[in-house]
Amino acid sequence: MFHRVVVTGMGAISPLGNDVPTTWQALKEGKSGTDTITAFDSSTCKTHIAAEVRGFDPEVIIEKKDVRRIDRYAQFALYTAKEALQDSELDLDKEDKDRIGVIWGSGMGGILTIEEEISEFGRGDGTPRFTPFYIPKGILSMAAGLVSIQYGLRGPNFTTSSACASSAHAIVSACNYIRLGKASVILTGGSDADITYSGIGGFNAMHALSTRNDEPKTASRPFSASRDGFVLGEGGVCLVLEDLEHALARGAKIYAELVGTGVNADAYHMTAPHAEGEGASRVMQMAMEEAGITPADVDYINAHGTSTALGDVAEVKAIERVWGQDAERLNISSTKSMTGHLVGAAGAIEALATVMALKEGIVPPTINHAEGDEDEKINYRLNFTFNKAQKRDLRYALSNAFGFGGHNVCLLFKKWNG
C-alpha cells in the first residue's frame, strides 16, 4: 500500500523576500530580485549582477559564536526549516522523531567556505593550515545534518546533489520514503549560496550567465529572443511533506498533494539538454503516469526556463511533444525570470510557486518579455504568461527541474480540495 503525500508547511528565503508570504507576493506581482552584486567586488568579472538574498541575519536562528562555523548555504537551510515547521504547526514534543526525516538538496554546498579556505592556503607558504570547520562547513550533507540536530529528527537524513535538479530530487526522495511508510514527515527542499568569485567566474567561463549588467532587473528573459544567459541566484526553500493520514489525524492545513514524480537522464551531454527535449518530455509523462492522469488534466507548467538559448527551446519542444496542439491550452511560466536561478534550490522554490499557484488559482508570470522579442525557434501560440500573473482555476500543475549532466526531474502537484 502506498501512502498519499501532502504539503503541510513551507519556508523560504529568496531574492524576493525572507519568508514565504513576501516571496509569493513578489512572484504574483512580477517583481525582479536581480540587482548589482554586493557580496563581493565583481569588477573583474564579466557579470556584475545576481539575485542575492538581502537583509538576512543568521543570528536570528544561529548563536553568534556558531555563525562562523556554518556556511551560508546551511544557514539558509536552518532558517527555512524553522519557518516551515512553524507553518506546519507540528508539535514535535508529541511526535515520534524516529519517523521524521530531513532530505535536502544542494548543487554546490559550501562553495564560499571552500573558496575562502583555498584562497588563504594559496597565499601561504604551502603548509596546509585550514580551519577545523573547513570540511564540515564545506560538505554538501551538512545542511541536512544540522537541521536534524537542531530539532532531534532521527528519520531518514541525507543530501541529493544533481546540479540544478538537486532539490527536486530531494523532494522525490522524501515523497518516496513517505509513500513506502518509512517516515511520516520529512523536511525537504534545498539551498545554495553560490554568488562568489568562483561561482560567478565559473559560470562566466561557461558563457552561461547574462552579462546585461546595465539592466539587471530585466536580465533574466526566459523564452525571449534577446535572452543571453541565466542570472545566478541564491536562497533556500523547505517543504514539509507528510503522510496524508498523519496530517488529517492532527488536523493539519494542507496546501496541495504531491501525486506524481518523474526522474530520468538525457544521457546526452555534460551541460546541454537534448536538443529535441526527449528526456524532458519523458520525465513529464512519467510523473503523469505515476499519478494516473493524462496531459489533458494538467493546467499549468512551472518551467525550468533558465533564459538560456538552448534550454528554453528544448523545454518548449518537450512540452509540444507531450501535449501537441493541446499545449496552447496550458499556462506556462518561468519564475526564474524573477528569482534568478537558485541552482540546487531552484527545484524547491519552483515547487513552492507551483503549490501556491494551485492553492490560490493564480499563475505567476514570466517577466521581461517585450512585444517583438520572439525567437523563431519557439512557438508563441503557447501561453507563457508573459509579464502579468493570470487567474485560473488549476487542477494539476507540473514543476520541471533539469540539471547539468542530463538530470531531469518533474513534480506533479494536485490542488487540495479536502
Side-chain angles (χ1 to χ4, degrees), residues 16 23-32 220 222-223 300-303 305 331-339 350 353 357 362-369 383-391:
L16 299 176
T23 297
W24 173 238
Q25 186 63 33
L27 286 169
K28 290 190 291 183
E29 293 176 3
K31 292 184 176 179
S32 170
S220 182
F223 310 119
Y300 170 49
I301 299 175
N302 187 299
N331 271 86
I332 302 164
S333 70
S334 171
T335 46
K336 286 186 181 74
S337 60
M338 296 172 279
T339 65
E350 287 148 26
I362 298 176
V363 177
T366 305
I367 66 169
N368 301 327
H369 181 76
N383 180 6
F384 293 102
T385 323
F386 281 134
N387 299 323
K388 187 177 180 180
Q390 294 180 14
K391 291 184 178 180

Side-chain angles (χ1 to χ4, degrees), residues 148-194:
S148 72
I149 292 166
Q150 181 77 11
Y151 299 103
L153 309 179
R154 299 183 295 268
N157 187 271
F158 58 90
T159 293
T160 59
S161 187
S162 50
C164 310
S166 296
S167 55
H169 266 124
I171 293 168
V172 172
S173 295
C175 178
N176 287 338
Y177 271 87
I178 295 171
R179 279 177 170 171
L180 294 171
K182 295 179 180 294
S184 299
V185 180
I186 294 185
L187 278 62
T188 186
S191 57
D192 257 329
D194 307 332

Side-chain angles (χ1 to χ4, degrees), residues 75-396:
Q75 294 173 6
F76 289 163
L78 287 164
Y79 184 92
T80 59
K82 180 180 180 181
E83 183 188 0
L85 279 171
Q86 290 175 338
D87 184 43
S88 74
E89 298 182 337
L90 271 166
D91 186 345
L92 292 179
D93 291 333
K94 296 180 180 179
E95 295 290 335
D96 179 357
K97 294 183 180 180
D98 288 332
R99 292 190 56 78
I100 304 178
V102 183
I103 301 177
W104 207 250
S106 184
M108 306 287 277
I111 185 173
L112 179 60
T113 293
I114 295 168
E115 178 181 303
E116 290 175 340
E117 289 292 311
I118 296 298
S119 295
E120 185 65 26
F121 171 71
R123 287 190 289 267
D125 61 4
T127 303
R129 297 187 182 93
F130 294 91
T131 171
F133 300 110
Y134 169 45
I135 299 299
K137 282 179 71 176
I139 56 179
L140 287 158
S141 61
M142 190 50 63
L146 287 171
V147 173
S148 72
I149 292 166
Q150 181 77 11
Y151 299 103
L153 309 179
R154 299 183 295 268
N157 187 271
F158 58 90
T159 293
T160 59
S161 187
S162 50
C164 310
S166 296
S167 55
H169 266 124
I171 293 168
V172 172
S173 295
C175 178
N176 287 338
Y177 271 87
I178 295 171
R179 279 177 170 171
L180 294 171
K182 295 179 180 294
S184 299
V185 180
I186 294 185
L187 278 62
T188 186
S191 57
D192 257 329
D194 307 332
I195 303 173
T196 70
Y197 280 112
S198 57
I200 294 291
F203 283 120
N204 271 157
M206 297 174 62
H207 305 286
L209 296 182
S210 171
T211 56
R212 202 176 297 277
N213 296 313
D214 296 332
E215 303 174 87
K217 295 297 183 185
T218 63
S220 182
R221 303 182 177 192
F223 310 119
S224 292
S226 60
R227 65 193 184 278
D228 70 330
F230 68 81
V231 171
L232 186 60
E234 64 175 357
V237 166
C238 180
L239 305 181
V240 177
L241 295 191
E242 189 167 349
D243 182 307
L244 174 60
E245 291 184 8
H246 185 275
L248 293 175
R250 69 179 186 87
K253 71 174 180 297
I254 294 172
Y255 283 98
E257 184 174 2
L258 179 53
V259 293
T261 63
V263 175
N264 72 3
D266 276 351
Y268 176 73
H269 189 271
M270 286 178 65
T271 56
H274 189 283
E276 299 302 316
E278 287 187 3
S281 64
R282 287 199 310 275
V283 84
M284 289 187 284
Q285 289 171 321
M286 290 168 68
M288 290 183 284
E289 288 168 4
E290 185 174 270
I293 69 168
T294 69
D297 296 309
V298 175
D299 298 310
Y300 170 49
I301 299 175
N302 187 299
H304 186 62
T306 56
S307 187
T308 57
L310 297 179
D312 289 5
V313 172
E315 188 168 11
V316 171
K317 287 184 177 180
I319 292 168
E320 291 183 302
R321 286 169 71 97
V322 177
W323 276 269
Q325 288 188 342
D326 195 43
E328 296 176 20
R329 174 188 58 80
L330 297 166
N331 271 86
I332 302 164
S333 70
S334 171
T335 46
K336 286 186 181 74
S337 60
M338 296 172 279
T339 65
H341 194 338
L342 273 58
V343 192
I349 195 167
E350 287 148 26
L352 181 155
T354 305
V355 166
M356 290 304 297
L358 283 164
K359 182 176 184 294
E360 295 193 2
I362 298 176
V363 177
T366 305
I367 66 169
N368 301 327
H369 181 76
E371 189 174 347
D373 190 10
E374 281 83 36
D375 182 337
E376 62 180 12
K377 297 180 181 178
I378 291 177
N379 177 6
Y380 287 94
R381 290 193 300 275
L382 274 59
N383 180 6
F384 293 102
T385 323
F386 281 134
N387 299 323
K388 187 177 180 180
Q390 294 180 14
K391 291 184 178 180
R392 179 170 181 172
D393 184 19
L394 304 171
R395 301 164 296 166
Y396 292 89

